[in-house]
Amino acid sequence: MYDVHRFLNAVFIYVLGLVILSAFSYQFIQGETPCSLCNLQRLAMIGIAVGLLMNLRMGIKIEHYGLSLLSALFGLFVALKQIGLHVCPQFPSYGEPVLGFSIFVWSFFVFLSSIFSLSVLIILFGFLKHKESPLIWNGWDKLAFSLIFLITAANAITSFINCRFGYCKGI
Amino acid sequence: MISSFYLFNLVVLFLLFQLKKKTAFSLAIINLIVLVLFLFLHEGASLMIRL
């Protein structure tokens, strides 16, 4: 059962990684620079992934889930704020919609489902007998870590090129 | 500005890899607090400009 828990954490990280990767590739395809609020949402997704990676690396602990949950709440707030801004009719739209929804609306769904999934994982954790988890990384765990590390590094480089030391343009 | 947050996350990931448990966790929490502060300062500044 404990291994299933680790497996679910790894799957969660892969899903988050793919979401950030798709947003990153969309940025290149459309030739648009991500706005400040979009970057904050990406950072919140990375924050969720960091909490889950801590579970894989240091053993499953409730405080790691707490960190992920706080990051998800932060991202949800930012996404909701951006949706609220774009609801105003005089406000200019930002970015092309994907499958009928803007990127920040999809991001809102991602954070909402992340909070749901994290809650389920915490409930599952409560049902398990607490034992020291082995600090051994298998290949999939290492791949998940590498994926998040590379995505973060790539975002750091592109955001530095686009925004330098100031704020990013657009909302 | 934003890129420094990504760099901060890279440091957290590196510490995680090095198994510096408490340092990595503390830095991750600090990162989250700074992000929240940044959001409020950013919004506060835009509100001041609008006023």
Side-chain angles (χ1 to χ4, degrees):
Chain A
M1 188 63 183
Y2 206 75
D3 287 332
V4 172
H5 211 104
R6 277 179 77 94
F7 172 75
L8 288 175
N9 273 271
V11 169
F12 200 162
I13 295 167
Y14 279 115
V15 170
L16 282 172
L18 286 176
V19 168
I20 308 170
L21 204 62
S22 56
F24 195 65
S25 49
Y26 179 82
Q27 171 190 338
F28 279 105
I29 292 164
Q30 293 289 327
E32 287 172 350
T33 54
C35 55
S36 288
L37 291 177
C38 314
N39 268 314
L40 285 178
Q41 285 163 56
R42 282 186 201 180
L43 280 162
M45 283 181 202
I46 291 169
I48 300 171
V50 165
L52 296 169
L53 278 170
M54 280 180 182
N55 270 340
L56 294 183
R57 184 67 173 145
M58 304 175 190
I60 294 172
K61 285 178 186 166
I62 201 83
E63 52 261 40
H64 300 155
Y65 280 128
L67 177 69
S68 292
L69 208 51
L70 281 176
S71 297
L73 279 172
F74 172 74
L76 189 81
F77 176 76
V78 176
L80 201 60
K81 185 189 161 37
Q82 202 169 9
I83 292 170
L85 281 172
H86 287 271
V87 161
C88 304
Q90 72 272 22
F91 208 85
S93 63
Y94 194 82
E96 290 293 314
V98 179
L99 299 172
F101 290 116
S102 294
I103 290 281
F104 46 86
V105 179
W106 282 114
S107 164
F108 176 78
F109 292 143
V110 167
F111 288 118
L112 208 60
S113 48
S114 293
I115 290 170
F116 173 77
S117 316
L118 284 167
S119 309
V120 171
L121 281 172
I122 290 169
I123 291 167
L124 267 177
F125 178 71
F127 278 113
L128 298 173
K129 283 180 186 174
H130 184 71
K131 58 179 179 182
E132 280 297 313
S133 84
L135 298 175
I136 302 165
W137 278 33
N138 62 25
W140 290 107
D141 297 348
K142 284 177 187 166
L143 192 67
F145 180 86
S146 312
L147 178 73
I148 297 299
F149 192 87
L150 286 174
I151 286 171
T152 312
N155 271 295
I157 293 164
T158 50
S159 64
F160 181 74
I161 292 166
N162 292 328
C163 317
R164 302 283 165 177
F165 294 108
Y167 293 120
C168 299
K169 286 175 186 170
I171 297 173
Chain B
M1 190 78 177
I2 288 284
S3 54
S4 58
F5 291 119
Y6 285 114
L7 286 176
F8 209 86
N9 268 305
L10 280 178
V11 173
V12 171
L13 286 169
F14 178 73
L15 288 169
L16 186 65
F17 186 75
Q18 294 285 316
L19 269 177
K20 308 270 184 202
K21 297 182 187 182
K22 284 184 181 171
T23 323
F25 187 75
S26 311
L27 274 181
I29 291 284
I30 291 168
N31 187 30
L32 196 60
I33 292 168
V34 174
L35 268 177
V36 173
L37 284 175
F38 173 78
L39 179 70
F40 279 99
L41 284 175
H42 182 256
E43 293 313 309
S46 20
L47 185 70
M48 291 295 277
I49 290 164
R50 268 181 244 142
L51 288 172

